[in-house]
Amino acid sequence: MSGWVEAATTPEIVESALGTLRTVLEYLGTVAFAVSGAVAAGRKRMDLVGAIVLACIVAVGGGTLRDVMLDVPVFWMASPSYLLVAAVTGLVVALLARWHPPDRLDRYRIVQITDAAGLAVFVVVGTGIALDAGAHPIVAAVMGIVTGVGGGIIRDMLANDVPDVFRNGQFYATAALAGAASYALLLWLDVPRTVAFWVPIVVILAVRLGSLKFGWGVPTIGGKRVDLDWHEKHPDR
């Protein structure tokens, strides 16, 4: 009898654990994206309010676009803690930047690595939310990409930059597409939820970090890749 009870409750335990893990990763992704937003504000010499605003936009912008397009309640309105975490993260990064300039973070790729982590988490979570809302797998994959890259696009537009997702041929949207498509496919193949959750995250991180490390990317218009921030880094030249 006890074996039957254990067999019956194990799937519920797994689902509960995955739900908890997803929530934890969502908060970690929120922090990761908020860091990139605040650092972008620092590069543009924005004030404290600007840093907090950009941190919040990059953290919740993609999910907001997703929920609006799916016609479901916007996630941070139901759980304002995500917005609060993003705002606090932006504030902390802005204050630290007074003693540790953003250029030092760039030197060690800290911003790019945290951004890759946020991308991986948000794409998978966004795809799953779309699937739970009844979206077709292809639509769900697109919603996952929107969740992952939407906030960054808005951030870069407000900072008067060419969005990272479109610049210099690096795998960014491609990494998001690979992760979202693999997640939808694994769920369609009825792969265990734990495997289906982690594999796309690993795929996105591998593609994105590989692009940063080895220069993987797509062809760019006009020939070789260029540093679009060169004039900002060398204002006297």
Side-chain angles (χ1 to χ4, degrees):
M1 183 69 175
S2 60
W4 179 86
V5 173
E6 181 179 356
T9 57
T10 297
E12 297 178 4
I13 295 174
V14 172
E15 288 295 324
S16 176
L18 280 176
T20 301
L21 177 62
R22 192 176 85 168
T23 300
V24 171
L25 290 178
E26 283 180 349
Y27 280 107
L28 291 177
T30 299
V31 171
F33 269 3
V35 168
S36 71
V39 170
R43 291 198 198 102
K44 293 296 183 176
R45 307 296 297 172
M46 294 184 184
D47 59 18
L48 191 60
V49 174
I52 295 174
V53 169
L54 282 195
C56 291
I57 284 175
V58 71
V60 305
T64 301
L65 291 174
R66 175 203 65 222
D67 292 344
V68 169
M69 287 189 284
L70 290 173
D71 196 22
V72 299
V74 177
F75 75 102
W76 59 265
M77 291 185 177
S79 300
S81 55
Y82 291 103
L83 195 62
L84 179 61
V85 168
V88 171
T89 301
L91 176 62
V92 171
V93 172
L95 293 176
L96 290 176
R98 293 181 62 86
W99 294 277
H100 301 282
D103 290 344
R104 185 173 299 179
L105 296 178
D106 289 340
R107 189 181 311 163
Y108 299 103
R109 292 190 180 275
I110 293 175
V111 175
Q112 292 172 320
I113 292 173
T114 57
D115 185 77
L119 177 70
V121 171
F122 277 23
V123 167
V124 174
V125 169
T127 305
I129 289 174
L131 288 171
D132 291 342
H136 186 279
I138 294 178
V139 175
V142 173
M143 291 298 100
I145 297 171
V146 169
T147 306
V149 308
I153 291 175
I154 300 173
R155 172 202 65 204
D156 293 338
M157 291 175 65
L158 289 177
N160 197 30
D161 282 331
V162 177
D164 278 338
V165 67
F166 302 135
R167 74 161 65 199
N168 227 10
Q170 290 186 345
F171 285 149
Y172 195 95
T174 305
L177 174 61
S182 62
Y183 185 49
L185 177 61
L186 289 172
L187 290 181
W188 182 73
L189 294 175
D190 202 23
V191 172
R193 292 294 292 258
T194 304
V195 176
F197 183 82
W198 283 109
V199 168
I201 289 180
V202 173
V203 168
I204 295 171
L205 285 174
V207 174
R208 178 60 183 149
L209 295 180
S211 177
L212 294 173
K213 177 67 175 179
F214 303 109
W216 300 342
V218 296
T220 57
I221 298 174
K224 65 180 182 179
R225 299 176 189 176
V226 296
D227 186 353
L228 297 177
D229 294 324
W230 190 88
H231 290 293
E232 289 186 11
K233 297 174 182 176
H234 306 86
D236 299 330
R237 300 185 186 181

